[in-house]
Amino acid sequence: MKNKMCYLAFFISIFLLFSMKVTHAQQNNCKACHSSEYGLWSSSKHADTQKDVGDELASNWIGQTPDSVIAGSQAEDCISCHSPTSVTVNGGMTEIQAINYFFSTVNGKFTDSTSAIHVSDWPNVSCITCHNPPTNHPSSGIPTLGVYNSKNLNYDSVQTSNELCGQCHGSLRFSDTDHRIYDAWKMSKHGHGGQLDVAEELASEHSGENSEKVIKSENCIACHAPTSVTMNGGISEAQALEIFFSTENSNYSSSTKPLNESEWPNVSCTACHNPHKPGVLSYYNSSTRSYEVMNSPNELCGQCHGNLRFPDTDHLSYNIELGTGGIDVPEIHTMNAQCIDCHMYNSGVDGSNSNMFKGHSWSIFVKEDDGTYTTSCTRCHSNFSADSAMAFITKWKTEFQKLDSTANDKITQAQNILANSSDSVKIKLLNEAIFNVTYAESDESGGFHNHLYTQLLLTSSIDKVNDIITGVKNTYSQLPLTFDLSQNYPNPFNPETNIAYSLPVRSNVKIILYNSIGQQVKVLVDKFQNPGRYIINFSSEGLASGVYFYRMFTDKIVLTRKMLIL
């Protein structure tokens, strides 16, 4: 029955395409064979574009005619991206005729009351906007990627899905567009350089191995180009490696290089966005060749920039930001923010690169056309400029580099001391120190992500190897013997400070901030916690300068300290 429906849909679609009489209901007869994809599409932004165009015409094109909108000196060809196949309605029409047919005018001009009309005929961004169905589909021909050109009524071929998205979400079709997500993506590490990185990794770390062995040990495809497995109707991850990287006698070698570079998708648009419902964050799993819906942006980033997909990965920014996983180091979650809050910031300023890129350069600093920078730091720290934020980040990275260098030097000393040792206690200390240093370095931000936590990881490592080098037991890793509330550091401060406290036993802890006249300002901690040492990262955002007090309440003791906000 399904095959009969597919053939019926096929003949209807061919008739409609040749007669050029396509309606919203008819042109999506793809539903007969692709009901799942159609269901996703029908509830997506691609299936609801007419109202947006109507609102745009009613707000920005008052008093203008359809030909001014499409072909005037300040033209903004809405039809070309919002519904290119609308020009096939009623036996065929021009873009100017289409915009006149689908949106109301008064005396041939748009007004503030312009709205969508002939709604049932409007095809939105339909299936056949992005898929070029051959005349023998579905019997044997497979639709190819291509964008329907509403000016010449033909399909423009594209090399990859990224180029398809870039027609409307970038400047590939209209060089003066303010939708520049594709352009930003091309600037980023997600959009270039990934294939060469993989080739260098294969040449240096996997020489003598075939593709199957590489995928089992270090699945490069899964993160560097997951959608590459969609080639040729669907291939395996190992086959994708073979297509994109050279081998000698089927094995990778020191001379392995990239192949078929124009078809390499990098971390494509469709790696994080299901094309049939792009508004829902989804991770493309190259092993199953299917999408997995993510619960949060952090969960999506954590698939490759953390251990959510591969537990043994050494890319652990996601885990470091959570502030967990170190050995004998207290858990510290310093920023209650999503990855995208810093790495996909949009200032919202009309005409700015920050707004046009929509965060898809993933840089916390975006250079504007006038040479100034927009920075995501201002999202939380309004008193920061781009220069001061850059200086602050540089300072943190320098601190990390110095401490990391010290830790590695100490580890080398300890390794030399234990070269022929069988002392299991010291060997355990050394392994723990190496783990914490490696973990801190796996963040790959140079010590910026969760700076306080990575500093503690490195400090803990130094303490552990000092036990080996000096023979004197460091008390850092021992549980505290008493309750303690430390003086915040730095103090005075603006905008951030750290508050450390210690618990010798599991306790119900509450830490409250008060102003100088004793009024409660904020609850910093309110939970049961296990014995250990803890640190709070506190921001003065929204608070006036002056003297404040913070007080720790437990079942056993109350402690108070004073701080000064500048």
Side-chain angles (χ1 to χ4, degrees):
M1 180 64 182
K2 184 176 180 180
N3 286 338
K4 289 181 179 180
M5 290 179 68
C6 289
Y7 280 111
L8 177 60
F10 160 65
F11 286 118
I12 292 174
S13 65
I14 296 303
F15 170 75
L16 292 171
L17 285 171
F18 278 98
S19 66
M20 302 297 283
K21 294 180 180 178
V22 184
T23 68
H24 172 62
Q26 290 168 327
Q27 98 170 305
N28 290 306
N29 56 66
C30 306
K31 177 182 179 181
C33 298
H34 305 285
S35 58
S36 177
E37 290 82 358
Y38 180 86
L40 290 170
W41 171 85
S42 61
S43 59
S44 76
K45 191 69 173 176
H46 282 170
D48 184 21
T49 60
Q50 193 178 14
K51 184 179 183 300
D52 285 348
V53 177
D55 291 344
E56 175 79 7
L57 294 172
S59 60
N60 294 331
W61 293 94
I62 298 173
Q64 299 293 310
T65 60
D67 60 324
S68 296
V69 173
I70 299 297
S73 60
Q74 301 295 319
E76 189 170 346
D77 190 347
C78 320
I79 293 296
S80 185
C81 283
H82 288 270
S83 188
T85 56
S86 63
V87 297
T88 63
V89 175
N90 289 346
M93 60 179 86
T94 66
E95 292 176 319
I96 294 173
Q97 290 169 330
I99 203 170
N100 186 59
Y101 177 76
F102 284 108
F103 301 95
S104 63
T105 60
V106 176
N107 297 323
K109 295 181 179 180
F110 298 111
T111 69
D112 58 3
S113 61
T114 287
S115 60
I117 55 177
H118 301 122
V119 176
S120 63
D121 288 340
W122 176 261
N124 293 291
V125 181
S126 64
C127 308
I128 59 172
T129 296
C130 302
H131 299 283
N132 182 3
T135 54
N136 57 343
H137 179 72
S139 61
S140 59
I142 299 174
T144 57
L145 287 181
V147 59
Y148 187 79
N149 190 319
S150 51
K151 292 187 183 299
N152 60 28
L153 311 184
N154 289 312
Y155 281 93
D156 295 336
S157 62
V158 295
Q159 193 75 27
T160 65
S161 61
N162 303 316
E163 291 178 25
L164 179 61
C165 299
Q167 303 298 315
C168 293
H169 299 284
S171 63
L172 294 186
R173 172 153 291 199
F174 301 106
S175 59
D176 60 345
T177 183
D178 58 359
H179 302 290
R180 295 184 177 271
I181 291 175
Y182 172 85
D183 305 65
W185 170 82
K186 285 287 286 184
M187 299 174 191
S188 76
K189 194 66 175 176
H190 282 175
H192 76 275
Q195 191 178 15
L196 184 59
D197 285 350
V198 175
E200 291 173 349
E201 178 80 7
L202 293 172
S204 61
E205 303 294 332
H206 297 283
S207 184
E209 298 178 8
N210 62 24
S211 59
E212 293 285 353
K213 186 171 182 179
V214 172
I215 291 299
K216 288 179 181 177
S217 63
E218 190 170 353
N219 192 338
C220 321
I221 291 296
C223 285
H224 288 272
T227 56
S228 61
V229 300
T230 61
M231 291 183 66
N232 303 330
I235 56 177
S236 69
E237 293 166 322
Q239 289 171 324
L241 273 183
E242 293 165 5
I243 289 173
F244 286 109
F245 302 97
S246 65
T247 60
E248 293 180 6
N249 299 319
S250 299
N251 290 333
Y252 299 103
S253 69
S254 58
S255 60
T256 288
K257 292 181 172 57
L259 298 175
N260 302 309
E261 295 173 66
S262 64
E263 297 178 38
W264 174 260
N266 288 292
V267 182
S268 66
C269 311
T270 54
C272 301
H273 300 279
N274 184 331
H276 296 104
K277 194 164 187 176
V280 176
L281 290 178
S282 303
Y283 170 71
Y284 187 78
N285 189 318
S286 52
S287 295
T288 61
R289 294 207 296 268
S290 62
Y291 282 96
E292 299 172 5
V293 175
M294 298 288 102
N295 294 316
S296 69
N298 279 6
E299 185 182 7
L300 177 58
C301 299
Q303 303 298 315
C304 293
H305 298 283
N307 66 352
L308 297 187
R309 172 83 196 271
F310 300 106
D312 59 347
T313 184
D314 58 358
H315 303 290
L316 295 170
S317 295
Y318 168 84
N319 305 77
I320 290 291
E321 199 279 327
L322 287 178
T324 63
I327 298 175
D328 295 331
V329 175
E331 295 184 359
I332 305 172
H333 184 63
T334 57
M335 292 188 292
N336 295 315
Q338 298 281 347
C339 306
I340 63 171
D341 290 335
C342 296
H343 290 286
M344 293 191 74
Y345 175 66
N346 177 3
S347 67
V349 177
D350 192 37
S352 69
N353 287 334
S354 175
N355 191 37
M356 292 190 290
F357 291 169
K358 299 292 190 294
H360 282 77
S361 67
W362 287 278
S363 173
I364 62 175
F365 296 98
V366 174
K367 189 174 184 179
E368 301 296 343
D369 291 339
D370 62 1
T372 62
Y373 282 86
T374 299
T375 177
S376 60
C377 300
T378 56
R379 180 192 292 273
C380 297
H381 308 288
S382 58
N383 58 321
F384 267 23
S385 66
D387 288 342
S388 60
M390 201 171 291
F392 196 78
I393 291 170
T394 300
K395 175 179 177 291
W396 274 10
K397 287 185 175 182
T398 301
E399 290 174 356
F400 177 87
Q401 289 166 2
K402 289 180 179 178
L403 202 57
D404 182 56
S405 178
T406 300
N408 278 292
D409 288 345
K410 296 266 187 186
I411 285 173
T412 300
Q413 293 179 49
Q415 287 173 324
N416 292 334
I417 292 171
L418 298 180
N420 299 307
S421 173
S422 59
D423 187 329
S424 60
V425 173
K426 290 185 176 180
I427 291 172
K428 180 175 180 290
L429 280 175
L430 176 60
N431 289 336
E432 290 175 349
I434 292 172
F435 176 88
N436 279 353
V437 168
T438 303
Y439 189 33
E441 293 171 345
S442 71
D443 170 50
E444 301 180 323
S445 73
F448 176 63
H449 290 151
N450 206 337
H451 179 67
L452 186 60
Y453 185 62
T454 51
Q455 293 287 90
L456 286 178
L457 286 169
L458 296 175
T459 301
S460 169
S461 296
I462 293 170
D463 288 343
K464 288 176 182 295
V465 291
N466 276 340
D467 291 351
I468 300 169
I469 296 168
T470 65
V472 177
K473 178 66 178 173
N474 191 289
T475 60
Y476 177 85
S477 62
Q478 296 177 351
L479 290 175
L481 300 177
T482 60
F483 289 95
D484 184 51
L485 178 65
S486 299
Q487 182 63 54
N488 64 299
Y489 177 82
N491 186 51
F493 71 98
N494 185 6
E496 292 186 339
T497 191
N498 301 299
I499 300 172
Y501 60 100
S502 303
L503 308 174
V505 295
R506 179 170 169 78
S507 307
N508 185 13
V509 185
K510 183 178 285 188
I511 299 178
I512 300 175
L513 180 70
Y514 299 91
N515 62 21
S516 59
I517 59 174
Q519 295 172 319
Q520 180 174 313
V521 174
K522 189 174 184 179
V523 176
L524 305 179
V525 177
D526 187 3
K527 63 174 72 172
F528 273 101
Q529 290 185 302
N530 290 323
R533 295 177 174 83
Y534 299 87
I535 298 178
I536 306 165
N537 180 256
F538 170 67
S539 171
S540 63
E541 186 74 22
L543 297 180
S545 60
V547 175
Y548 291 80
F549 297 90
Y550 55 101
R551 180 168 294 172
M552 181 173 80
F553 300 86
T554 72
D555 297 334
K556 305 290 185 182
I557 198 169
V558 177
L559 298 171
T560 304
R561 299 285 182 187
K562 181 169 67 173
M563 65 168 62
L564 176 62
I565 300 175
L566 293 179

